[in-house]
């Protein structure tokens, strides 16, 4: 091999190596923590996040909205982007809960959840649960949410 081809060979090897390197995408859990840390300006998150939007099954949304109004979960926060279709502003006024009107659908836009109602449980700054609420398993999912030691008696 001639010496003048050595730089070309080195360039080719480096180009191939760099092209094959992939930038690691953050996990869903990392994205959730990033969103919540930014919103709550804290890096120690313990929250029950109830997400309601106007996508997905209307019956699921309506049932989930009713559940959201009655749950006594501690450390709860509501991300709502349904434009009042399922939860009216008057219904939310008397609740002692942090309400975030999320008209950008940040959890859907960042591909953390599918379109439709969802629940995210964060314990000690670790995402424990990301759950898309579906009609077929609605009662089972609600029982699970209630079982997370988040209900005050």
């Amino acid at each position: 091999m001639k010496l003048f081809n050595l730089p070309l060979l080195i360039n080719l090897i480096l180009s191939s190596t760099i092209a094959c390197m992939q930038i690691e995408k953050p996990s869903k859990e990392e994205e959730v923590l990033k969103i919540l840390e930014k919103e709550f300006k804290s890096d120690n998150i313990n929250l029950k996040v109830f997400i309601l939007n106007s996508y997905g099954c209307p019956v699921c949304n309506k049932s989930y909205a009713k559940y959201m109004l009655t749950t006594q979960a501690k450390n709860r926060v509501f991300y709502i982007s349904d434009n009042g279709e399922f939860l009216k502003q008057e219904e939310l006024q008397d609740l002692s809960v942090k309400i975030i009107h999320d008209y950008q659908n940040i959890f859907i836009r960042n591909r953390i959840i599918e379109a439709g109602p969802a629940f995210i449980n964060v314990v000690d700054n670790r995402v424990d649960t990301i759950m898309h609420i579906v009609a077929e398993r609605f009662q089972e999912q609600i029982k699970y949410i209630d079982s997370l030691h988040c209900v005050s008696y």
Side-chain angles (χ1 to χ4, degrees):
M1 181 184 294
K2 295 180 183 177
L3 272 178
F4 70 92
N5 285 336
L6 187 59
L8 181 62
L9 181 62
I10 292 171
N11 190 18
L12 182 63
I13 291 171
L14 286 175
S15 297
S16 298
T17 304
I18 292 171
C20 291
M21 291 173 52
Q22 293 182 351
I23 298 172
E24 193 172 317
K25 211 170 97 174
S27 69
K28 287 182 179 185
E29 290 79 7
E30 291 169 328
E31 286 288 332
V32 168
L33 291 175
K34 186 172 126 184
I35 291 166
L36 296 176
E37 286 171 357
K38 183 178 177 185
E39 180 67 42
F40 292 95
K41 295 169 185 40
S42 172
D43 60 358
N44 187 17
I45 307 289
N46 286 289
L47 289 173
K48 311 301 179 224
V49 182
F50 296 83
I51 303 166
L52 181 67
N53 52 58
S54 52
Y55 301 111
C57 166
V59 174
C60 293
N61 284 330
K62 190 171 187 171
S63 297
Y64 193 58
K66 284 182 184 178
Y67 172 72
M68 287 170 64
L69 291 173
T70 60
T71 185
Q72 297 298 307
K74 295 178 182 177
N75 301 328
R76 61 190 167 151
V77 60
F78 293 172
Y79 272 80
I80 300 173
S81 60
D82 79 337
N83 295 318
E85 185 178 350
F86 298 104
L87 282 176
K88 307 286 185 247
Q89 191 62 37
E90 313 79 65
E91 295 174 305
L92 300 169
Q93 287 176 346
D94 296 331
L95 296 178
S96 58
V97 62
K98 170 97 171 147
I99 298 169
I100 297 167
H101 295 283
D102 176 30
Y103 298 112
Q104 296 178 352
N105 289 299
I106 195 163
F107 292 103
I108 294 172
R109 192 180 68 222
N110 286 310
R111 300 176 194 263
I112 296 166
I113 63 166
E114 298 173 28
F119 173 78
I120 299 174
N121 187 34
V122 181
V123 180
D124 296 329
N125 217 42
R126 184 183 56 81
V127 177
D128 176 69
T129 306
I130 299 175
M131 181 187 307
H132 180 67
I133 307 297
V134 293
E136 303 82 39
R137 298 182 51 223
F138 184 80
Q139 291 303 323
E140 175 187 339
Q141 290 174 317
I142 296 305
K143 285 179 185 174
Y144 175 76
I145 294 168
D146 284 342
S147 76
L148 293 174
H149 304 290
C150 60
V151 178
S152 61
Y153 295 101

